[in-house]
Amino acid sequence: MKDDKDFDGLEKKVSFADQYTLRGRFMRPVDTSAILKHLMWQEFSLSRIIAGWIIAIPTYDQKLQLGRHAYLHNRNVKFLRERIVELPGGLNDNEWIPSYVREAFDRLFTASSPNAFFISYLFVLKRLHEQYDELLLKLDPVLNAPTVDQIKLNLVERDTELNWVVNQTFFTDAESEELALQAQNWEKYAVRVWSVFAGFNNHDMSSEIPWPIHPVQEAAGPMPEEARLEDKFQRFEVKRGQTAYTDPEMSVLSDSVKQMIYIYATEFTAGESLACVYYSVEQMPLAFYFDLARHMWDEFRHSRMGMRRLEQLGYTIDQFKWPTGPGLQLAKNHFTEIYSSLTMIGEACGFKKKRKSAEAFWKFGDVLSAITVEFDLSDERSHVDFGTKWGPELYKREGIIVTHQEMAEQARLRRLNEFDAVSPEDKEKLAKNFPAFCSLHTSELNYHKY
Ligand SMILES: [Fe+2]
Ligand SMILES: [Fe+2]
């Protein structure tokens, strides 16, 4: 935290209304910091709520793009934080989203349908842009140049994102008068929530206007009971105690090294698992969410690179069966297990298979598939590092102290307990023998067949 002694005696508490009252034409460092913090918590709330909605949105392309946007807003948090910690007041490790920001965003995004979510998303995005534009007009280009520089980083992708979000609000299913009216009413509700939000004082959590009554009885998101996925993806129920990706039912490529590309395409479910963790876990240091958001987006990217390559090679979605991501209960009660299993088993056991696949793709002259695997390998190294660093921290939140080795062994035992045919003694042994464990957990591919 920034040492405040140089600012002792100067006014530190700036009311929300006063933040926008200029000291003449100039903003002081404390004013700047307060406004940046306010923006940062909004960016963070938006990022987490987008992640929560990914699970509730059935359309594959939208899921993937939202994975990217959740990451971009997280990066905006990171850029703002970099400047905030240079200013008086800094940022405590235990600071968290102020309750009125949370309340406003929960109200704006607890919506009855994906369409309503996109209306809220567009509405909030426009409000954020207005705040950045207003702030940029107020910042002194000499005194406050480092703030201007950080804000510019947040603007790089904004038009691309805005255009995409606008396009999602031209709903093909909203042609009926009733649906159009619902959309209008939802937007009016958002306007009312925002006016209460804008009236809040930054410090004493009060507003002159009460929150409007929330009109949604049954919310579709964020975080529904079950993850949703559009019908063109035939479902595959992962069976308990089955070595991953061995069922020939899943894929027409199960006897070929190209199975690796199909495996990538399924990784949107890993992205969804991480989106659940990102949305559900609270009060961790911001650094955790920075790593997690990158990890989450990488998995959606891996799915995109797999799907793109499958399509380039002439395969279609209906030639495969697809797993689905986790729902609300699993996310709420088991996020520590989800995270440690993904990083310590799913990702850690994948390296051998991936290296062999890359070699095989080079041998068969499939350059793009080979390079795809190479990029994935470099992402996966950082993902396992993230798991090693943050997995024990997540357990610590639950009052459990474990080393990353113990956490990995427990994850392996959990997985082994799904295999009824393996004796308890063998389970103990396998949990300590990483290569033997991985051969049971996941399949080898046929590297000799293209
Ligand atoms: Fe991946
Ligand atoms: Fe990964």
Side-chain angles (χ1 to χ4, degrees):
M1 174 157 173
K2 196 88 179 160
D3 184 357
D4 274 350
K5 69 179 181 322
D6 297 340
F7 293 89
D8 279 353
L10 298 177
E11 181 191 1
K12 272 192 261 172
K13 285 200 165 186
V14 186
S15 78
F16 187 74
D18 284 351
Q19 288 166 31
Y20 295 96
T21 310
L22 304 187
R23 309 312 200 252
R25 184 69 184 85
F26 299 101
M27 285 175 68
R28 298 164 66 196
V30 283
D31 305 331
T32 311
S33 171
I35 293 181
L36 292 183
K37 271 193 193 182
H38 186 54
L39 276 165
M40 184 186 78
W41 293 126
Q42 291 175 68
E43 290 276 12
F44 190 40
S45 302
L46 178 60
S47 168
R48 293 179 71 233
I49 276 182
I50 292 172
W53 265 97
I54 289 173
I55 325 292
I57 298 241
T59 310
Y60 174 82
D61 282 334
Q62 289 181 333
K63 277 185 196 292
L64 264 61
Q65 196 58 32
L66 290 171
R68 163 107 181 125
H69 290 177
Y71 166 68
L72 287 178
H73 286 287
N74 176 285
R75 232 170 49 128
N76 292 349
V77 174
K78 203 184 211 173
F79 293 141
L80 291 170
R81 185 190 165 279
E82 279 171 11
R83 181 59 178 146
I84 290 167
V85 296
E86 294 174 356
L87 293 168
L91 191 71
N92 274 318
D93 260 356
N94 58 5
E95 275 186 66
W96 188 246
I97 307 168
S99 51
Y100 73 100
V101 178
R102 229 195 128 118
E103 178 85 30
F105 277 71
D106 281 350
R107 285 171 177 276
L108 286 162
F109 285 98
T110 303
S112 60
S113 66
N115 289 2
F117 159 74
F118 280 113
I119 289 171
S120 296
Y121 185 6
L122 179 59
F123 177 83
V124 168
L125 208 53
K126 287 193 285 189
R127 301 292 83 77
L128 267 172
H129 292 182
E130 284 165 8
Q131 291 173 75
Y132 279 115
D133 291 343
E134 192 183 352
L135 180 57
L136 279 171
L137 293 174
K138 289 174 179 171
L139 295 173
D140 182 280
V142 179
L143 303 176
N144 226 333
T147 304
V148 175
D149 282 349
Q150 287 308 103
I151 288 179
K152 282 183 180 165
L153 295 172
N154 286 15
L155 306 183
V156 172
E157 292 280 345
R158 93 174 197 180
D159 290 343
T160 315
E161 181 191 7
L162 183 67
N163 287 338
W164 183 82
V165 179
V166 167
N167 277 325
Q168 310 316 302
T169 61
F170 292 108
F171 311 120
T172 49
D173 59 350
E175 282 144 11
S176 80
E177 213 172 305
E178 194 195 337
L179 285 169
L181 197 66
Q182 271 175 18
Q184 264 177 27
N185 285 338
W186 180 247
E187 194 166 359
K188 277 186 199 156
Y189 170 74
V191 171
R192 289 168 63 206
V193 171
W194 197 265
S195 68
V196 180
F197 176 59
F200 266 93
N201 181 291
N202 209 2
H203 294 281
D204 63 11
M205 184 64 201
S206 62
S207 171
E208 282 171 15
I209 329 166
W211 294 110
I213 292 167
H214 194 67
V216 175
Q217 304 292 335
E218 268 186 52
M223 277 311 306
E225 288 295 331
E226 302 280 334
R228 297 191 61 206
L229 182 62
E230 55 194 316
D231 291 341
K232 68 180 180 186
F233 290 80
Q234 281 187 74
R235 302 303 148 78
F236 178 78
E237 277 298 320
V238 178
K239 296 174 193 89
R240 202 178 164 273
Q242 191 175 42
T243 300
Y245 295 108
T246 48
D247 195 327
E249 281 268 285
M250 287 183 99
S251 156
V252 292
L253 293 171
S254 57
D255 188 36
S256 148
V257 67
K258 285 185 285 186
Q259 174 82 344
M260 194 63 240
I261 303 169
Y262 160 69
I263 294 174
Y264 284 138
T266 66
E267 287 189 9
F268 67 90
T269 61
E272 288 186 302
S273 296
L274 293 163
C276 277
V277 179
Y278 188 59
Y279 177 73
S280 311
V281 179
E282 301 195 3
Q283 304 277 355
M284 288 284 284
L286 283 177
F288 165 73
Y289 298 96
F290 298 153
D291 288 345
L292 186 60
R294 174 58 200 269
H295 190 174
M296 170 181 67
W297 173 54
D298 280 348
E299 300 308 338
F300 288 117
R301 229 178 88 239
H302 295 169
S303 179
R304 173 74 80 202
M305 66 200 198
M307 202 65 91
R308 180 180 72 162
R309 195 76 193 114
L310 283 181
E311 283 167 7
Q312 286 167 343
L313 294 169
Y315 296 95
T316 49
I317 286 168
D318 58 1
Q319 290 177 286
F320 303 91
K321 286 192 176 173
W322 304 88
T324 38
L328 178 66
Q329 292 313 320
L330 196 67
K332 247 196 203 158
N333 303 325
H334 299 287
F335 51 76
T336 309
E337 287 93 337
I338 293 175
Y339 185 71
S340 59
S341 293
L342 177 70
T343 51
M344 298 295 113
I345 301 178
E347 296 181 315
C349 280
F351 287 103
K352 188 175 148 209
K353 180 162 64 182
K354 287 170 179 176
R355 273 193 294 265
K356 284 180 162 181
S357 300
E359 271 171 37
F361 283 128
W362 279 119
K363 203 179 77 200
F364 289 118
D366 183 346
V367 174
L368 184 51
S369 297
I371 295 176
T372 297
V373 179
E374 288 176 356
F375 271 108
D376 171 65
L377 276 165
S378 94
D379 292 339
E380 290 308 319
R381 265 186 280 276
S382 48
H383 298 172
V384 175
D385 287 347
F386 293 157
T388 306
K389 179 177 178 189
W390 295 114
E393 295 296 320
L394 282 175
Y395 275 104
K396 209 193 277 174
R397 275 178 87 254
E398 295 173 8
I400 302 167
I401 305 295
V402 283
T403 62
H404 68 87
Q405 292 95 338
E406 287 163 344
M407 173 184 73
E409 199 175 314
Q410 284 165 14
R412 293 196 285 268
L413 270 174
R414 278 199 306 276
R415 173 72 169 126
L416 285 162
N417 280 333
E418 295 176 13
F419 291 86
D420 297 329
V422 183
S423 73
E425 301 79 60
D426 284 348
K427 280 177 188 165
E428 288 290 324
K429 275 188 222 156
L430 278 166
K432 292 185 194 318
N433 182 341
F434 186 67
F437 166 81
C438 288
S439 323
L440 187 69
H441 162 70
T442 189
S443 62
E444 282 291 318
L445 305 180
N446 187 351
Y447 306 105
H448 305 292
K449 191 171 162 202
Y450 183 66

